[in-house]
Amino acid sequence: MRGMRGARAVAAVAAFVGWFGLAVQLWLIVGNLGPALGLWRYVGFFTILANIGAAAVATAIALGGSSQLAGARARLMALTSIVTVGIVYSLLLRSVWNPQGWQKVADAVLHDVTPILFVLLWAVMPHGELKRGDLKWALVPPAAYLAYALARGAVDGWYAYWFLDPSKQRIGELGLSIIGVLAIFAVVAALAIAIDGGRRLSRQSVPPA
């Protein structure tokens, strides 16, 4: 019980920071592009969608609910998405721009702070419920986003990320980009599931007092 109170406290911090970063980024993009286009572009970024998912899961945990949104599978999906956001941003995107002012704050929160906080939250939550077959659920968000991003880009010509833009890559290169992104998700999810299983085994090996 004491451990869950601590986890709920961490979840409350993660939720607050996540929603704060999302609100700042929405304010900035709507201020620059106007309400309609700004909101349309806002929901075009996987970073935003992943942070919404992570903040929603953290909120459900903080409120002490027993819904599926606070369950092990939802935590895995959120963890995999938000950690991959940090990894892909650091590898492919951090060097291509230099945000300033409030944009720098939003950028740091959404790409650096929230992944760290959610990893901490995942670490302090109960473990032992995940199975190897749950890896496929961690691939649902990126697969859905890839289809969504390519479809909306084909309609209006705007792509949130250069590595998903067909006009900047040949078809083979685009295919490799998609495979590479999915591979990162799979590795992160596999590691999380392995750690979850290891925590279960170590708990089972402790003799009763």
Side-chain angles (χ1 to χ4, degrees):
M1 185 66 72
R2 185 178 302 172
M4 275 308 300
R5 282 200 296 268
R8 289 177 63 185
V10 175
V13 173
F16 175 81
V17 172
W19 292 123
F20 169 76
L22 287 163
V24 171
Q25 186 60 70
L26 179 61
W27 168 62
L28 290 169
I29 198 167
V30 167
N32 288 331
L33 300 177
L37 181 58
L39 186 59
W40 174 243
R41 290 285 176 87
Y42 183 76
V43 297
F45 291 94
F46 186 78
T47 292
I48 297 298
L49 301 177
N51 271 277
I52 290 173
V57 170
T59 300
I61 295 170
L63 295 175
S66 58
S67 68
Q68 291 185 347
L69 193 57
R73 189 174 287 168
R75 297 198 305 270
L76 173 68
M77 294 169 72
L79 173 77
T80 305
S81 294
I82 201 67
V83 168
T84 304
V85 162
I87 293 172
V88 172
Y89 182 76
S90 293
L91 291 177
L92 300 178
L93 300 169
R94 192 181 299 276
S95 62
V96 302
W97 79 319
N98 183 29
Q100 301 295 322
W102 279 105
Q103 184 59 69
K104 188 170 185 176
V105 173
D107 186 75
V109 170
L110 298 176
H111 296 104
D112 300 316
V113 180
T114 53
I116 292 171
L117 285 174
F118 203 88
V119 168
L120 177 60
L121 173 59
W122 183 81
V124 299
M125 288 295 294
H127 290 276
E129 300 177 50
L130 295 174
K131 300 176 177 62
R132 282 181 294 180
D134 288 320
L135 190 148
K136 63 180 179 291
W137 292 102
L139 298 180
V140 170
Y145 176 77
L146 288 168
Y148 161 70
L150 292 173
R152 59 175 282 160
V155 171
D156 65 8
W158 178 81
Y159 297 86
Y161 306 106
W162 65 263
F163 52 86
L164 295 180
D165 188 344
S167 69
K168 296 181 179 179
Q169 303 177 92
R170 292 189 290 270
I171 293 299
E173 293 171 331
L174 177 62
L176 288 175
S177 294
I178 291 173
I179 292 171
V181 170
L182 290 174
I184 294 174
F185 273 86
V187 169
V188 173
L191 286 172
I193 292 170
I195 293 170
D196 184 82
R199 293 276 291 272
R200 178 179 62 242
L201 292 175
S202 64
R203 188 174 65 247
Q204 291 173 348
S205 65
V206 175

